[in-house]
Amino acid sequence: MKTRAILTLSALLACGYVCAQDQPTSAMVFETYEWDFGTIDEADGPVSHTFRFVNISNNPIQIDNVATSCGCTTVQYSTEPIHGGEEGEITVVFNPARYEGSVFREVEILTKDRHNYASLTVYADVNPIPMDMEHIYPHLLVGTIQTNSTRYPFGYINQGDSATKVVRIANVGDKTVRLSVQATGKEHGLSVDCPPSIGPRETASIHVTYNIPTGADYFGMTRDTIWVIADGIKQVPITMNALRVEKFDPDDSKKPVMRIEPSYVEFGEKAPGKIFKKTIVIGNTGNADLIFRDVEPMEGTAISIERGQVIKPGKELKVKVAVTNSRKPHTTTMGSINLTTNDPTRPFRELRLQVDTK
């Protein structure tokens, strides 16, 4: 096991601010915001790491909400108040079942007063349990063609750059199958290279590439679909997505830093089928203009900022967000708004909204 950055709690108290890179100002100061489990075996089951932090403020803080990026990651923590100068712990547990290769998962932490926020990340390189072809490629695409995954997130791709992922497929049948593909995303620079056929009990690779164009219309998240066609038949799609951002100069000392308070907006229990609004604050704590390259409210949500809007260094903007509540009783509605900016530290942010039906 190894850690990517280590600071003692005494050093954190001495500096009096968040020393870890890329973290927003918060009274919760962690000794490290990242943990690498290294190479682990799927057969060994879940692994865990305890992140320790100190409350550097004079006021008590109380953890109220912890959100993980995947169901394979769970979190253990105390909801008791932590007074100024006291230490707290958050244990992150990662279950490697059905994972293979490099994996990273994020954990977002929010306190009850909504003034303190932290983001933790765990990494692992998973050695899978050896299996036969049907288990290695468990997802049916069409006929006797199966794959090991039907979802391929590419992550960040700079405008003007390209990235390729390999879709592994297997023919679990006893006859050769003719192959072709149908895909969306040509306007996003997506291309697919597929072999013309695959023999019985053979595996093959389909290469999927994004060549991201440049320009104001090519920011934000893409969502595309590929169908593998076997002997003229298609059934189950494969989904792709990429986060398109500008190419940043790592040596440029001028850069914006976006701050969102809060980034997880709870509306509480509300009447069904109605639209509810709240005001949040988005600020720029950097030394260059913060530019919103893409603003994408998901279905049932809205936000009062638009693509191209600018926040000057040291300034902040009061922003209205809205969510439409479900018409069903005793239902939790989750909404999200995707923001792509020129903040090189974290150019893509997801603003989450939650409302419960009375």
Side-chain angles (χ1 to χ4, degrees):
M1 294 183 183
K2 53 187 177 181
T3 182
R4 294 170 177 247
I6 301 176
L7 292 173
T8 64
L9 290 175
S10 60
L12 290 168
L13 285 169
C15 69
Y17 59 89
V18 177
C19 298
Q21 189 177 5
D22 304 342
Q23 289 296 322
T25 302
S26 173
M28 291 184 296
V29 180
F30 286 79
E31 56 185 351
T32 180
Y33 291 82
E34 297 182 340
W35 182 262
D36 192 339
F37 290 110
T39 301
I40 62 176
D41 293 325
E42 178 189 1
D44 290 341
V47 292
S48 65
H49 174 70
T50 297
F51 290 87
R52 294 178 173 83
F53 66 92
V54 65
N55 177 5
I56 63 170
S57 73
N58 294 323
N59 301 316
I61 59 176
Q62 188 173 0
I63 297 173
D64 181 59
N65 186 282
V66 176
T68 64
S69 60
C70 175
C72 63
T73 308
T74 57
V75 184
Q76 302 166 1
Y77 60 95
S78 172
T79 57
E80 294 298 317
I82 299 166
H83 296 278
E86 291 184 350
E87 299 177 11
E89 295 182 348
I90 294 177
T91 299
V92 178
V93 182
F94 168 65
N95 186 349
R98 298 180 297 280
Y99 285 93
E100 177 180 359
S102 298
V103 178
F104 74 93
R105 294 292 181 261
E106 291 183 320
V107 176
E108 293 184 338
I109 304 156
L110 195 65
T111 59
K112 194 169 185 178
D113 59 10
R114 297 297 185 265
H115 293 157
N116 297 288
Y117 167 88
S119 180
L120 309 175
T121 308
V122 294
Y123 303 81
D125 191 4
V126 182
N127 287 328
I129 298 172
M131 295 180 289
D132 58 23
M133 181 177 285
E134 284 79 2
H135 286 91
I136 295 174
Y137 302 92
H139 302 285
L140 175 66
L141 289 179
V142 55
T144 59
I145 305 302
Q146 298 185 190
T147 185
N148 60 344
S149 178
T150 57
R151 298 178 61 195
Y152 287 84
F154 276 69
Y156 290 129
I157 307 178
N158 299 328
Q159 284 195 0
D161 288 353
S162 64
T164 299
K165 282 190 178 289
V166 177
V167 177
R168 297 286 298 170
I169 62 172
N171 180 3
V172 300
D174 56 5
K175 295 181 180 179
T176 297
V177 175
R178 292 180 291 109
L179 297 176
S180 61
V181 293
Q182 179 182 333
T184 66
K186 186 176 181 180
E187 69 276 16
H188 301 149
L190 182 72
S191 61
V192 185
D193 182 17
C194 176
S197 64
I198 182 172
R201 307 301 297 179
E202 287 186 353
T203 61
S205 298
I206 299 174
H207 292 80
V208 182
T209 301
Y210 274 110
N211 289 290
I212 303 299
T214 59
D217 294 331
Y218 303 107
F219 287 107
M221 180 178 284
T222 69
R223 297 172 184 85
D224 297 300
T225 305
I226 296 171
W227 288 269
V228 176
I229 303 173
D231 290 333
I233 301 172
K234 69 176 184 181
Q235 288 179 311
V236 179
I238 299 172
T239 59
M240 307 278 167
N241 65 64
L243 302 176
R244 302 170 296 175
V245 299
E246 61 194 85
K247 184 175 290 187
F248 299 102
D249 181 359
D251 298 324
D252 190 357
S253 61
K254 292 283 188 179
K255 59 183 181 180
V257 178
M258 181 166 66
R259 174 180 59 85
I260 305 177
E261 292 186 3
S263 61
Y264 191 99
V265 185
E266 290 184 295
F267 290 79
E269 289 190 350
K270 300 293 182 181
K274 295 185 178 181
I275 298 174
F276 297 94
K277 299 178 180 179
K278 274 195 174 184
T279 299
I280 65 170
V281 174
I282 301 181
N284 177 8
T285 60
N287 56 9
D289 286 355
L290 176 69
I291 305 171
F292 289 87
R293 300 300 193 190
D294 188 70
V295 179
E296 184 188 19
M298 306 307 289
E299 183 178 0
T301 67
I303 190 168
S304 63
I305 56 175
E306 298 178 350
R307 179 195 295 185
Q309 199 155 348
V310 176
I311 300 179
K312 294 292 184 180
K315 301 296 183 180
E316 61 184 28
L317 184 67
K318 291 185 177 180
V319 177
K320 291 188 181 299
V321 296
V323 62
T324 302
N325 201 5
S326 172
R327 294 183 180 276
K328 298 179 181 179
H330 311 298
T331 300
T332 296
T333 298
M334 302 295 297
S336 64
I337 300 169
N338 296 331
L339 303 175
T340 304
T341 70
N342 63 329
D343 178 351
T345 299
R346 196 174 176 187
F348 181 88
R349 296 285 296 272
E350 181 185 22
L351 177 62
R352 298 179 182 179
L353 314 177
Q354 176 180 329
V355 60
D356 298 318
T357 306
K358 286 185 178 179

